[in-house]
Amino acid sequence: MGYERQIDLGTPEVRSDSTVTCTIDGRDVTVPAGTTVMRAAALSGGSIPKLCATDNLKQFGSCRLCLVEIDGMRGTPASCTTPVAQGMQVHTHTPRLEKLRRGVMELYISDHPLDCLTCSANNDCELQDQAAAVGLRDVRFGYEGDNHLGAATDTSNPYFDFDPSKCIVCSRCVRACDEVQGTFALTIDGRGFASKVSAGLGGDDYLSSECVSCGACVQACPTATLQEKTVKAIGKPERAVVTTCAYCGVGCTFRAEMRGEQIVRMVPWKDGKANHGHSCVKGRFAWGYAQHQERILSPMIRESIDQPWREVSWDEALTYTAAKLNQIRDRHGRNALGGITSSRCTNEETFLVQKLVRAGFGTNNVDTCARVCHSPTGYGLKTTFGTSAGTQDFDSVEDSDVILVIGANPTDAHPVFGSRMKQRLRKGAKLIVIDPRKTDLVRSPHITADFHLPLRPGTNVAVLTAMAHVIVTEGLANEAFIRERCDWDEYSHWAEFVSQERNSPEFLSPVIGVDASAIRGAARLYATGGNGAIYYGLGVTEHSQGSSTVMAIANLAMATGNIGRRGVGVNPLRGQNNVQGACDMGSFPHELSGYRHVSDGAARALFEAEWGVKIDPEPGMRIPNMLDAAVDGAFKAIYIQGEDILQSDPDTRHVAAGLAAMECVIVHDLFLNETANYAHVFLPGSTFLEKNGTFTNAERRIQPVRKVMEPLNGYEDWQVTQRLAQAMGLDWNYTHPSEIMDEIARLTPTFSGVNYARLDAEGSLQWPVNDKAPDGSPIMHIDGFVRGKGKFVVTDYVPTDERTGPRFPLLLTTGRILSQYNVGAQTRRTANVAWHAEDLLEIHPTDAENRGLKSGDWVRLASRSGETTLRAQVTDRVAPGVVYTTFHHPETQANVVTTDYSDWATNCPEYKVTAVQVTPSNGPSEWQEDYAAQATQSRRIVAEPAE
Amino acid sequence: MSAMTTDKLVYMANQIARNMALDADPVAVVADHIAAFWTPRMKELIFAHGSDGLDPIAAKALARLEKGREPAPQTRATDPHAHGADAG
């Protein structure tokens, strides 16, 4: 598409069961009751001048430019604040109105720089457009009076500038920060002529303020006051392509606004059904890694990891790799090979990698990075409900009365949905937070959790079972729902279990570390407060009882009847952009696409007929099994697409030992990541901006990813996988990812109605999409569970084997911060380091004082697995006895410290509980020094010989 | 075969057994889980190891598997629309 601004109807959509018809400039228009005159005029094809109004903010009525005349009504009401009435006759362009509007505009322009030709917003400025629309030709007041033209520009934010000399104080930015983002970082300071937009307190600039750099204010600004630095540097975009963000599982859609092959800016797409026009600092601004100088664009190979890399042609790299894989298979058997798919890559790319492993390598040794995040969700929800997916769409939260957030920090990790959640909470929904840390949700502007249960890490199952005890023993269970929808015998067995005194809040309180009365209160609120919705994240799954916790959550939802309608449900907040999709595509070693076990002969027969090969009926190895087998000498080669297991997986030393023991490690990625230090083949990857495909977000929404620029490395990732398959002798001839999706649809019942034509036409589809749900499935389990009867599973609390003691008295838990993303490969290569340049260790003031520590001190963080050093941040966000850090920086290598304990059902690592000791330090650990030396040596690339 | 791998398998089997101990039929569930998620090599290794160090439930489950009485996996394929359940 060419470049056009997104349509702005002036005021938000109104939902109403009734309609009214009015006449605007002689045109009849019928709209939902409550719709404003401004919006009705826009819907009828007209246009009323406006400045302070925009359709993602509530009407404000301050600029006085949108005045209209209405028959029978005195004066000239503002069209943005006047609702239409049946039979109303509206006139939007009359001599009287034109005179008034010109007068208003004169006042604005009298205090505005007249530098349109050199302004970065030239031809893309609402003030300029409206001045033209009202026919302003002269400013009678002159320009000599008091003005704001000399106000200094705030350039502190790395992505946008604030130039107050161009501000018209329309308050759109302030309202966007309040209504859309919910941070309340901006305000109008002063009164009258002294009014000005201000970030934070008096001494703050944008960077030092509470601003989270979501970009909502920049998007709302009708002038060049708040504008992206890239627009200033590059100029106005000339085309726009709608695509899907490649950061978290919210799946925001953006318009990539381009000049040639250069991105000017990423602007959230108003029609995006996941984000509704909102964004966060990562998706909006942190895309610079795509052009970062450290990207590797040529394939490289080496015989051993102590050698430097040698750049080679694609043909040589792929021929070499295929020969290596074939040799290893011939010598050691097909089960000596395996692959890892990536939740950062598209559905189509993921599907091809698992197809290569199953059909090309001849093994089910394929796994995915969901192993280390949401594999317990797959197990737990499949067992209890019948399918491995969240039950709701994001919009469902608008109907929630009680929101229970456990082990998730959506304002940091899923910020756009976090903002939606906060909007609902500010409208009155109740909030329960179960988290060891005092996350932002616990207390933020106009939001206070009704219950915060700061449990000891590792006691999720205990607290959920204690809540179930309250619900069952106090008669709060929804027996009618259970009898109709669930297996009553299984419920009875479960209810008898949770009713035991040993599962009461009073008995478990000392274990959990939370008052029994708070647990009882939270349980009563969830069970009786109306529509109850549970949202959870990796604080649930990354435990030795991760799967049990997911099933305990499902038990609670079923016991209270909170399943199968809007406002309720069980909602896993997926970490990466395509966790849901990667799991859907058959990335787990025991499942084909659509969650069909490899032992299912009928499912296997479908694939065997399509692919022309036999599929192994036995499950393959998970990632930790592969590493163990490699150390054991039984696993020799691995193809890793878009995943950095050395940094992201637990017990780094063991991962390194496993990789070092392999004969052929193939890394297919954007950068020489940490895993590549142990690789023999490096295949350059393409960014989400350089490829076509689809991502599936946390609400099962399949959304298009569109190529906005040519791949710098020459190939989209699916093409590289296809070329590798061809080099191994497979007859693959896809010409476009749409053909891969067609194959997915043929083989996967839940995707049978999905194709690119529909995705282009409808924007997105939520699976299942098939004959029984032709338009997709925003809410699941409406009339019955996928498995038939909902299954209650007894989830006994089994303490983790990772215990504190005299040597390691503190519990470490890990997580993510707003500005950084996972291992940081992308965000560390952007200006987001302005907010988070290093991993810090949060420690409670009492624990810090006992160790003589203050914020900024270097500390040694040691566990039974290893040790690292980082700097301390003393804060009461963590409870005494608990410390917390992020894992965004390879210099810290937090996973040197984490153990190889894992979830009993899925082997998802227990990242959230590690017994540690913290002591003062004055330098890097021995491991850090050794690792830095090894990484430096491993990243050498042979220089081209001089000609 | 390294002791490390076998030790881990014993640990994993015991962990599954501990978490499923209160199920109505824990031996069947544990056997089912191992059948559905462990590779043939992992099963062979732990069969060869014997019952040393194994939780009684895990030992019984593995004995049942070894004798070839594998139950159908609990997590076997389920057509999400077999019950017409999740059309939105």
Side-chain angles (χ1 to χ4, degrees), chain A residues 328 332-340 361 363 365-366 621-623 625-639 658-659 661-665, chain B residues 41:
Chain A
I328 291 169
H332 300 284
R334 57 190 171 82
N335 286 323
L337 279 60
I340 300 177
F361 297 179
T363 176
N365 290 339
V366 61
M621 283 190 268
R622 299 167 173 174
I623 295 171
N625 304 144
M626 295 184 209
L627 294 167
D628 288 348
V631 171
D632 232 18
F635 187 80
K636 298 290 184 182
I638 191 165
Y639 171 35
L659 290 168
M662 296 183 204
E663 291 179 17
C664 184
V665 174
Chain B
R41 179 172 178 271

Side-chain angles (χ1 to χ4, degrees), chain A residues 545 600 632 770 772 786 801, chain B residues 2 11 15 19 36 77 81 83:
Chain A
Q545 284 202 293
D600 179 340
D632 232 18
N770 51 24
K772 290 185 177 167
V786 168
D801 288 326
Chain B
S2 76
Y11 181 84
Q15 199 187 7
N19 277 277
H81 288 286
H83 309 282

Side-chain angles (χ1 to χ4, degrees), chain A residues 68 114 207 267 276 350 424 449 494 634 806 909 925:
Chain A
V68 293
L114 299 179
L207 188 62
V267 180
H276 298 291
T350 303
R424 178 64 198 141
W494 174 81
S925 68

Side-chain angles (χ1 to χ4, degrees), chain A residues 877-921:
Chain A
R877 281 170 71 98
V878 289
V882 176
V883 292
Y884 166 88
T885 190
T886 49
F887 55 95
H888 301 308
H889 295 272
E891 297 80 12
T892 311
Q893 294 245 347
N895 283 322
V896 170
V897 177
T898 55
T899 69
D900 68 351
Y901 288 122
S902 65
D903 174 43
W904 65 270
T906 65
N907 291 130
C908 181
E910 189 171 49
Y911 291 117
K912 302 299 184 184
V913 187
T914 306
V916 295
Q917 177 59 292
V918 176
T919 52
S921 170

Side-chain angles (χ1 to χ4, degrees), chain A residues 442-460:
Chain A
V442 172
R443 188 169 179 80
S444 61
H446 307 291
I447 294 171
T448 302
D450 297 87
F451 292 95
H452 174 215
L453 311 184
L455 75 177
R456 265 177 77 79
T459 60
N460 283 333

